[in-house]
mmCIF file of all heavy atoms in Angstrom:
data_model
loop_
_atom_site.group_PDB
_atom_site.id
_atom_site.type_symbol
_atom_site.label_atom_id
_atom_site.label_comp_id
_atom_site.label_asym_id
_atom_site.label_seq_id
_atom_site.Cartn_x
_atom_site.Cartn_y
_atom_site.Cartn_z
ATOM 1 N N LYS A 175 110.525 93.155 141.937
ATOM 2 C CA LYS A 175 109.361 92.272 142.084
ATOM 3 C C LYS A 175 109.630 90.873 141.536
ATOM 4 O O LYS A 175 108.869 89.953 141.775
ATOM 5 C CB LYS A 175 108.150 92.884 141.366
ATOM 6 C CG LYS A 175 107.700 94.200 141.969
ATOM 7 C CD LYS A 175 106.506 94.757 141.211
ATOM 8 C CE LYS A 175 106.075 96.090 141.813
ATOM 9 N NZ LYS A 175 104.951 96.680 141.075
ATOM 10 N N GLN A 176 110.706 90.762 140.781
ATOM 11 C CA GLN A 176 111.111 89.506 140.150
ATOM 12 C C GLN A 176 109.996 88.909 139.286
ATOM 13 O O GLN A 176 109.709 87.724 139.336
ATOM 14 C CB GLN A 176 111.579 88.490 141.211
ATOM 15 C CG GLN A 176 112.832 88.936 141.929
ATOM 16 C CD GLN A 176 113.387 87.854 142.831
ATOM 17 O OE1 GLN A 176 112.735 86.861 143.129
ATOM 18 N NE2 GLN A 176 114.628 88.044 143.256
ATOM 19 N N ARG A 177 109.401 89.779 138.524
ATOM 20 C CA ARG A 177 108.354 89.339 137.586
ATOM 21 C C ARG A 177 108.167 90.404 136.513
ATOM 22 O O ARG A 177 108.674 91.530 136.629
ATOM 23 C CB ARG A 177 107.039 89.061 138.292
ATOM 24 C CG ARG A 177 106.395 90.287 138.921
ATOM 25 C CD ARG A 177 105.075 89.937 139.601
ATOM 26 N NE ARG A 177 104.510 91.072 140.301
ATOM 27 C CZ ARG A 177 103.714 91.970 139.755
ATOM 28 N NH1 ARG A 177 103.389 91.891 138.477
ATOM 29 N NH2 ARG A 177 103.226 92.974 140.467
ATOM 30 N N VAL A 178 107.411 90.036 135.494
ATOM 31 C CA VAL A 178 107.077 90.980 134.433
ATOM 32 C C VAL A 178 105.954 91.886 134.924
ATOM 33 O O VAL A 178 104.988 91.424 135.545
ATOM 34 C CB VAL A 178 106.641 90.221 133.160
ATOM 35 C CG1 VAL A 178 106.066 91.164 132.123
ATOM 36 C CG2 VAL A 178 107.824 89.464 132.570
ATOM 37 N N VAL A 179 106.088 93.181 134.653
ATOM 38 C CA VAL A 179 105.051 94.139 135.035
ATOM 39 C C VAL A 179 104.593 94.909 133.803
ATOM 40 O O VAL A 179 105.339 95.061 132.835
ATOM 41 C CB VAL A 179 105.539 95.132 136.115
ATOM 42 C CG1 VAL A 179 105.864 94.411 137.412
ATOM 43 C CG2 VAL A 179 106.740 95.926 135.620
ATOM 44 N N TYR A 180 103.357 95.369 133.854
ATOM 45 C CA TYR A 180 102.792 96.184 132.781
ATOM 46 C C TYR A 180 102.768 97.632 133.223
ATOM 47 O O TYR A 180 102.541 97.943 134.401
ATOM 48 C CB TYR A 180 101.360 95.732 132.462
ATOM 49 C CG TYR A 180 101.289 94.363 131.840
ATOM 50 C CD1 TYR A 180 101.177 93.218 132.627
ATOM 51 C CD2 TYR A 180 101.339 94.217 130.458
ATOM 52 C CE1 TYR A 180 101.129 91.963 132.046
ATOM 53 C CE2 TYR A 180 101.284 92.964 129.875
ATOM 54 C CZ TYR A 180 101.177 91.834 130.676
ATOM 55 O OH TYR A 180 101.125 90.599 130.100
ATOM 56 N N GLN A 181 102.999 98.524 132.282
ATOM 57 C CA GLN A 181 102.948 99.949 132.578
ATOM 58 C C GLN A 181 102.478 100.693 131.339
ATOM 59 O O GLN A 181 102.508 100.141 130.236
ATOM 60 C CB GLN A 181 104.326 100.450 133.013
ATOM 61 C CG GLN A 181 105.403 100.289 131.947
ATOM 62 C CD GLN A 181 106.793 100.563 132.475
ATOM 63 O OE1 GLN A 181 107.116 100.197 133.600
ATOM 64 N NE2 GLN A 181 107.616 101.214 131.669
ATOM 65 N N PRO A 182 102.023 101.942 131.522
ATOM 66 C CA PRO A 182 101.590 102.718 130.347
ATOM 67 C C PRO A 182 102.728 102.855 129.340
ATOM 68 O O PRO A 182 103.903 102.866 129.705
ATOM 69 C CB PRO A 182 101.210 104.082 130.941
ATOM 70 C CG PRO A 182 100.914 103.792 132.380
ATOM 71 C CD PRO A 182 101.821 102.660 132.772
ATOM 72 N N VAL A 183 102.369 102.951 128.091
ATOM 73 C CA VAL A 183 103.365 103.069 127.026
ATOM 74 C C VAL A 183 104.163 104.351 127.208
ATOM 75 O O VAL A 183 103.598 105.431 127.412
ATOM 76 C CB VAL A 183 102.671 103.064 125.639
ATOM 77 C CG1 VAL A 183 103.676 103.289 124.531
ATOM 78 C CG2 VAL A 183 101.949 101.743 125.428
ATOM 79 N N SER A 184 105.491 104.228 127.139
ATOM 80 C CA SER A 184 106.339 105.411 127.306
ATOM 81 C C SER A 184 106.837 105.957 125.974
ATOM 82 O O SER A 184 107.520 106.975 125.921
ATOM 83 C CB SER A 184 107.544 105.064 128.197
ATOM 84 O OG SER A 184 108.297 104.017 127.611
ATOM 85 N N ILE A 185 106.510 105.276 124.883
ATOM 86 C CA ILE A 185 106.932 105.730 123.550
ATOM 87 C C ILE A 185 106.096 106.937 123.148
ATOM 88 O O ILE A 185 104.872 106.935 123.294
ATOM 89 C CB ILE A 185 106.748 104.600 122.520
ATOM 90 C CG1 ILE A 185 107.561 103.378 122.921
ATOM 91 C CG2 ILE A 185 107.119 105.063 121.117
ATOM 92 C CD1 ILE A 185 107.242 102.139 122.111
ATOM 93 N N GLN A 186 106.750 107.959 122.630
ATOM 94 C CA GLN A 186 106.034 109.136 122.157
ATOM 95 C C GLN A 186 105.547 108.890 120.743
ATOM 96 O O GLN A 186 106.305 108.424 119.889
ATOM 97 C CB GLN A 186 106.950 110.368 122.184
ATOM 98 C CG GLN A 186 107.401 110.755 123.576
ATOM 99 C CD GLN A 186 106.235 111.180 124.451
ATOM 100 O OE1 GLN A 186 105.337 111.895 124.015
ATOM 101 N NE2 GLN A 186 106.234 110.725 125.694
#
Side-chain angles (χ1 to χ4, degrees):
K175 296 180 181 178
Q176 295 188 346
R177 65 180 175 88
V178 170
V179 296
Y180 292 89
Q181 61 190 39
V183 176
S184 59
I185 301 169
Q186 296 296 318

